[in-house]
């Protein structure tokens, strides 16, 4: 599933546990664009490429994938925009038909004769709204899925280049003044 970032998150955990091969395998098996971006980031780090170069390539890849997903939304946008316009066109045509009948009837206007044109006008409006409303709702939902995917991609891939400060970091902390401890400096 496009929105399922479980493989990407698991690959990050493996990467942070220095299990780079497993991280690559986990991310590489997933069809999820976030996992694919993580795989590129981990591969770049594994090859020792400069961070800026890896970030740029991952950003390019991510934007390309997101744009590809957004392209599927274009047809929904067109349908959502055109359906009410077609309904309006049907309404206008139906009302023109009703007024033509009124003109032809002269002084003896039969309400039954007018109702056909009015019925046509109302029917086309109802059908167009019945098409447009769910399409707009589906488009909004899918647009949010792509937006969330973009946010997840940025957030998860960034973890390849940062240190997890959420816990267990104290064991590796260095007192910058004394030079004791692990490999990370905290404080000043």
């Amino acid at each position: 599933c496009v929105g399922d970032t479980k493989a990407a998150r698991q690959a990050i955990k493996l990467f942070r546990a220095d299990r780079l091969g497993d991280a690559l395998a986990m991310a590489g098996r997933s069809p999820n664009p976030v996992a694919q971006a993580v795989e590129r980031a981990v591969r770049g780090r594994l090859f020792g490429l400069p961070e800026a170069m890896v970030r740029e390539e991952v950003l390019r890849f991510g934007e390309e994938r997101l744009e590809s997903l957004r392209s599927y939304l274009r047809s929904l946008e067109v349908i959502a925009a055109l359906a009410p316009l077609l309904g309006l066109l049907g309404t206008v045509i139906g009302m023109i038909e009703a007024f033509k009948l009124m003109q032809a009837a002269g002084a003896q206007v039969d309400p039954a004769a007018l109702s056909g044109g009015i019925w046509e006008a109302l029917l086309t409006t109802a059908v167009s709204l019945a098409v447009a409303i769910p399409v707009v709702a589906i488009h909004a939902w899918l647009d949010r899925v792509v937006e969330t995917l973009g946010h997840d991609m940025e957030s998860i891939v960034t973890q390849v280049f940062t240190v997890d400060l959420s816990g267990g970091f104290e064991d590796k902390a260095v007192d910058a003044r004394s030079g004791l401890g692990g490999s990370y400096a905290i404080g000043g």
Side-chain angles (χ1 to χ4, degrees):
C1 177
V2 171
D4 182 12
T5 60
K6 190 184 326 179
R9 293 179 192 282
Q10 185 62 36
I12 290 294
K13 287 180 184 176
L14 293 167
F15 174 78
R16 288 195 164 164
D18 288 329
R19 295 174 53 195
L20 302 183
D22 292 338
L24 281 172
M26 172 65 70
R29 283 192 305 262
S30 176
N32 179 272
V34 177
Q36 293 170 354
V38 166
E39 187 221 4
R40 286 176 181 256
V42 170
R43 188 174 305 283
R45 295 300 298 264
L46 182 64
F47 290 155
L49 298 174
E51 181 178 322
M53 182 184 291
V54 175
R55 282 182 182 263
E56 190 66 30
E57 170 56 18
V58 171
L59 177 65
R60 184 205 59 78
F61 172 79
E63 287 297 325
E64 187 178 277
R65 291 304 306 269
L66 291 174
E67 185 55 34
S68 173
L69 291 171
R70 285 185 194 109
S71 71
Y72 294 111
L73 300 178
R74 304 292 187 255
S75 58
L76 292 177
E77 289 175 6
V78 170
I79 292 168
L82 288 182
L85 294 175
L86 291 172
L88 179 60
L89 177 62
T91 300
V92 170
I93 290 170
M95 295 306 291
I96 289 171
E97 187 64 32
F99 282 114
K100 276 185 11 185
L101 290 174
M102 269 178 48
Q103 181 185 17
Q108 281 91 24
V109 176
D110 180 13
L114 293 177
S115 66
I118 295 170
W119 177 85
E120 180 182 335
L122 292 175
L123 179 65
T124 58
T125 301
V127 169
S128 71
L129 291 175
V131 169
I133 291 170
V135 169
V136 167
I138 290 167
H139 177 270
W141 175 69
L142 290 173
D143 188 52
R144 180 68 182 137
V145 167
V146 172
E147 184 180 316
T148 300
L149 188 69
H151 170 75
D152 288 348
M153 189 177 294
E154 184 177 334
S155 176
I156 293 170
V157 169
T158 297
Q159 294 176 45
V160 172
F161 305 101
T162 60
V163 175
D164 183 6
L165 299 176
S166 64
F169 187 72
E170 297 80 19
D171 297 341
K172 298 178 183 177
V174 168
D175 183 316
R177 287 170 282 218
S178 69
L180 301 174
S183 60
Y184 301 107
I186 296 180

